[in-house]
Amino acid sequence: QMEVAESGGGSVQAGGSLRLSCVYSGGARWMAWFRQAPGKEREAVGAFFTRPGGYPVYADYVMGRFTISFDNALSTLYLQMTELKPEDTARYLCAADHFGRVRGGQWRDRALYSYWGQGTQVTVSS
């Protein structure tokens, strides 16, 4: 089992910003952010294709507010969140596609990710 470690969560007021980090040194074609609020399904936030020429993809509901980036030298995935809303309150989890199962449009499918972190809590107050 390879370790996925998130950090950077916290409490902010609506309109504020937070940056989450996720370190995974085992190598993954895709790395993704998901979130889960109490009583709700885990949902995809966005992901990053980490190979040369890599790029981020986003769920519609965070487009324009969240930015995902990846530092290959540090094996670290970032989630910069701005204009935070109370409905963004959730536990944010990082996932690594260690075995290369994800193909393009499948990045939202949580079953394809091999390793998961424990998550970091983000709470946005109104």
Side-chain angles (χ1 to χ4, degrees):
Q1 178 79 13
M2 303 296 289
E3 183 178 6
V4 179
E6 306 98 334
S7 61
S11 298
V12 294
Q13 291 193 323
S17 301
L18 279 174
R19 188 176 83 154
L20 308 183
S21 300
C22 169
V23 179
Y24 176 68
S25 57
R29 292 179 72 247
W30 285 89
M31 290 187 68
W33 288 102
F34 289 77
R35 69 185 188 184
Q36 189 164 20
K40 293 190 175 181
E41 291 263 329
R42 188 172 297 184
E43 61 180 2
V45 175
F48 199 99
F49 180 65
T50 68
R51 293 298 184 255
Y55 54 89
V57 290
Y58 301 96
D60 288 346
Y61 61 84
V62 301
M63 197 79 72
R65 296 192 300 126
F66 292 8
T67 302
I68 295 175
S69 58
F70 181 72
D71 187 321
N72 190 60
L74 298 177
S75 299
T76 301
L77 182 73
Y78 299 99
L79 176 63
Q80 178 68 51
M81 303 183 290
T82 63
E83 300 176 40
L84 283 161
K85 306 175 182 180
E87 51 264 44
D88 293 318
T89 294
R91 191 160 191 83
Y92 284 70
L93 302 105
C94 180
D97 172 32
H98 180 79
F99 296 110
R101 297 181 183 130
V102 175
R103 290 293 181 269
Q106 298 175 318
W107 66 269
R108 294 175 183 83
D109 187 346
R110 58 182 185 258
L112 298 178
Y113 291 89
S114 316
Y115 301 123
W116 292 79
Q118 295 297 308
T120 185
Q121 180 67 33
V122 171
T123 303
V124 185
S125 58
S126 56

